[in-house]
Amino acid sequence: MASPIAPPRPSPDAAPIPPTASALPTERAQLDAALATLRDRARPFARLAPAAKAALVRACMPRIADCAEAWVATGCKAKGLVGAYQAEEWIAGPLPTLRLARLLGDSLEAIARRGRPPLGTGGVTRPDGRVEIEAFPVSNLDRMAFRGFTGSVLLAPGVTRADAAQRQAGFYRQRDPEGGVVLILGAGNASSIPALDVLSKLFVEGYVALLKMNPVNEWAGPLLERALAPLCDAGYLRIVYGGADVGQYLVEHPAVDEVHLTGSAETHDRIVWGPPGPACARRQADGEPVLTKPISSELGNVSPVVIVPADYADGELAFMAANLATMITNNASFNCNAAKVVVSAHGWPQHDAFWGLVARALAATPPRAAYYPGAFARYARLTAGRDLVLAGGAGPGELPWTIVRGVDPAAADPVLTVEPFCAMVSDVVLPVGDPVEFLAAATRFCNERLWGTLSATVCVAPGHERDPGVAPALERAITELRYGTVAVNHWPALGFGVGSLPWGGHPSASLRDVQSGLGWVHNTYMIANVDKTILRGPLVVRPRPLWFTGNPRAVPVARRMIRQELAPSWLGLARVVGAALV
């Protein structure tokens, strides 16, 4: 492992993302007018035939593709991304937006023909009685593009396959729905999040939407207006700008029926319970929120990566390290699913070698602009007085990739309960060494000691996945982990991006203890009673996955994937594969 060096002195928060021409707060008269239009269009949209909705979302697809280059270029300029690192904006912006639009169009057409989408691509009733529905890949083309990867939806206990079919696409089972207006408080990190939230709320839940851009990503607003112009032109979507004061005005506006937030739990609780203080605590204890409207949310997470002890081959260990480095560095670590705590076993002989490979991979990745508000303060608070490894340096406005060593899993440590949302990851070793005992202990640790319920990763050797003793323990851990997405061997962000898998916090959360949020987005199969998504992939993937940080082929592959998502074909897939292999 690299030698520890002194951490940098905290510097004032930089603001490398410049305001756009449209970044002035939208005036209240314009906010009122936007909501009046949406209020007027809510019922007609709710009652619009599924086939017409399919045509509407498909009309967005060429526009998303047409503005993809400008979308990515603007994002890269805002975040200072160059070369191969520009791929991050392709896979966090237009690519998942285009894919979700296409899959929603498929589902809406299926509803027009049969009354509901297919129930995934298959499903089983497991030995424990739980129903698990296969929801990714969605086609033979997908199976070739994502060879070795699968994604399934585990339903809540007691829900049968027949129940699932009956409750699917619940909005489209209503007769003469009234619809409503949802206020979407858009996230400030990944530029696709506001668009994906809009598409989910409109076409899965039947709302029209007012999207307020977060000041951090206001640069994306004009691009989203272009990409989603058919929705704006029809009066089903309006995009506005401003800070917390604009958000508060809209939350309280009588024309808003529901609120959806992607952001922090602190923002959620301020909206729901009021400003922090004794009155807020009393309301929370008494269950008397100041917000009486429904609210859904996708919030943060102290995301764990659990490494099951094994004798990993050199290539496996190197791939795992590169995989973890990607989970840390992507988007400067300003992701709600960025890896934040690595959980390994006492006595794992490869512990130091693994972390040495991680430090090397981090050092090979240029430091990023720490653009998200509060990053320097959080970093200073969570790293002060620690045993640190700084993998590389950092210039003005940047933070170094940082490993926090020796975190006590039993201590009341803020790195376990505060989402860092900056360029750091912590190393936790549990005092057990046997793989079966470790999986049980790691499950308890993640569920009971770490804050958040959004996503978790479990890395396991191929032999253990087949081992008659370890494999059942792995399946128990996957089932018992209280996270909305549990990924085996890979970054849960893939589950976010593929569209067909529900994305959100585990349903064990509540309004009083919201953790990583309430409700689901994406979910193009419109499945109800979701407990979690399970994403599985091989420990090592060749060629190097598109989303791996610094993949030199990622940008040309992403460009071809845009064309493939716009019009899927075997020839298009061959071109994607060709770009990946050159």
Side-chain angles (χ1 to χ4, degrees), residues 235-431:
Y236 304 143
L237 171 66
R238 289 290 183 266
I239 300 176
V240 298
Y241 303 86
D245 55 336
V246 172
Q248 189 66 40
Y249 177 74
L250 294 173
V251 165
E252 297 172 352
H253 201 288
V256 169
D257 298 299
E258 180 171 320
V259 178
H260 178 77
L261 165 69
T262 299
S264 71
E266 290 77 15
T267 301
H268 172 276
D269 285 352
R270 182 178 287 270
I271 290 171
V272 172
W273 305 105
C280 174
R282 179 193 56 78
R283 284 191 294 269
Q284 203 160 0
D286 294 342
E288 298 176 351
V290 296
L291 180 71
T292 57
K293 302 171 184 179
I295 182 169
S296 57
S297 52
E298 190 262 85
L299 310 174
N301 197 46
V302 180
S303 308
V305 177
V306 174
I307 301 178
V308 182
D311 182 14
Y312 292 96
D314 290 347
E316 292 172 340
L317 208 64
F319 189 93
M320 290 164 59
N323 202 349
L324 177 62
T326 289
M327 300 183 209
I328 298 165
T329 59
N330 181 278
N331 196 31
S333 214
F334 296 125
N335 289 320
C336 54
N337 51 25
K340 290 304 167 194
V341 172
V342 177
V343 184
S344 60
H346 175 73
W348 180 39
Q350 295 173 304
H351 173 273
D352 289 351
F354 172 73
W355 278 110
L357 291 169
V358 173
R360 194 176 308 160
L362 293 175
T365 304
R368 307 290 177 83
Y371 66 84
Y372 209 87
F376 286 90
R378 283 190 298 274
Y379 180 88
R381 173 189 173 191
L382 294 172
T383 59
R386 303 277 194 174
D387 180 9
L388 303 179
V389 173
L390 304 187
E398 300 171 342
L399 286 171
W401 308 121
T402 301
I403 301 167
V404 180
R405 301 196 293 192
V407 175
D408 182 352
D413 195 315
V415 299
L416 307 180
T417 57
V418 176
E419 182 186 18
F421 222 62
C422 61
M424 57 176 287
V425 65
S426 299
D427 173 24
V428 172
V429 177
L430 299 185

Side-chain angles (χ1 to χ4, degrees), residues 67 74 131 181 186 342 503 564:
C67 72
T74 307
V131 173
V181 178
V342 177
W503 180 258
Q564 173 69 354

